[in-house]
Amino acid sequence: MQTTRVLGIGGTTRQNSSSERALRVAAAAAADAGATVELITAEELVLPLYDPEKSARTERATALVAALRDADALLISSPGYHGTVSGMVKNALDYVEDLRDDERSYLAGLPVGCIAVAHGWQASVATLQTLRTCAHALRGWPTPMGAALNASMPGLFDPVTGACTDESARFQLETVGRQVVEFAAARLGDERVLTPAQA
């Protein structure tokens, strides 16, 4: 049986930002649940503004679209900038438009785990809601648990290891990571165990 492939995208232009650390916690939980995980973060997400009128893509953009195409599940982690998703993360999601003519159009049927990190509850909750709306618009399946983290809370992440030291936040992130794997397995399980003659 093929291993579930989870793609994680997000963070900021700064490596090891709070939103990237949150993504890594969820990704580790997905890996512990048996998935193969790929992360695209920080500078790898610095892409030209998505232009649907142009077919040429940079090397980074091509790699992102290929990873999206191959993924069985998606983790998205965004900082809350001015109460919503960052431009960098939104631009990355705009590249999903390149999948519109695929057999699996956009993110159709994919479990999508949404994570928002901001310096305040209002911005983190609003950002989480925006991510879930984007996932729906792209035909994805947001997991029941979404993680909204308040980065102004002291001791949210260990400054050296990046581990999430807040029990409630860690529970949210690990649940999101496990759920994308569980739902991907439930969705894809039958077609993976059937032989060609049975399919």
Side-chain angles (χ1 to χ4, degrees):
M1 187 181 300
Q2 182 178 339
T3 303
T4 300
R5 297 162 298 189
V6 175
L7 173 65
I9 65 172
T12 72
T13 55
R14 177 174 56 87
Q15 287 188 343
N16 296 317
S17 63
S18 296
S19 50
E20 182 179 328
R21 288 178 171 178
L23 177 63
R24 292 186 182 279
V25 173
D32 287 345
T36 298
V37 180
E38 177 183 359
L39 296 181
I40 300 179
T41 64
E43 289 187 2
E44 294 175 311
L45 281 181
V46 178
L47 307 170
L49 188 65
Y50 181 75
D51 185 349
E53 303 302 318
K54 296 179 180 178
S55 59
R57 296 287 177 258
T58 64
E59 184 176 342
R60 285 180 181 171
T62 299
L64 172 65
V65 172
L68 288 163
R69 180 173 283 123
D70 290 341
D72 299 316
L74 188 61
L75 291 168
I76 309 170
S77 181
S78 177
Y81 284 178
H82 306 140
T84 192
V85 175
S86 71
M88 184 179 81
V89 171
K90 180 57 171 66
N91 189 49
L93 292 176
D94 286 345
Y95 277 87
V96 177
E97 182 66 21
D98 282 4
L99 307 181
R100 65 187 177 277
D101 295 325
D102 284 13
E103 182 177 354
R104 185 194 73 197
S105 187
Y106 299 106
L107 303 178
L110 259 65
V112 181
C114 300
I115 301 164
V117 185
H119 282 269
W121 288 117
Q122 179 172 318
S124 62
V125 172
T127 301
L128 176 60
Q129 182 59 45
T130 299
L131 285 173
R132 293 174 70 87
T133 298
C134 287
H136 274 136
L138 293 170
R139 307 180 191 176
W141 181 17
T143 55
M145 174 66 83
L149 276 59
N150 184 347
S152 67
M153 296 172 59
L156 186 60
F157 294 100
D158 185 285
V160 177
T161 67
C164 184
T165 53
D166 180 84
E167 184 176 349
S168 175
R170 186 173 64 251
F171 170 80
Q172 291 181 64
L173 295 170
E174 291 178 346
T175 301
V176 170
R178 286 193 300 269
Q179 283 185 345
V180 293
V181 179
E182 292 167 1
F183 296 151
R187 175 181 176 270
L188 299 171
D190 289 344
E191 66 186 64
R192 287 180 175 174
V193 299
L194 289 176
T195 66
Q198 293 171 315

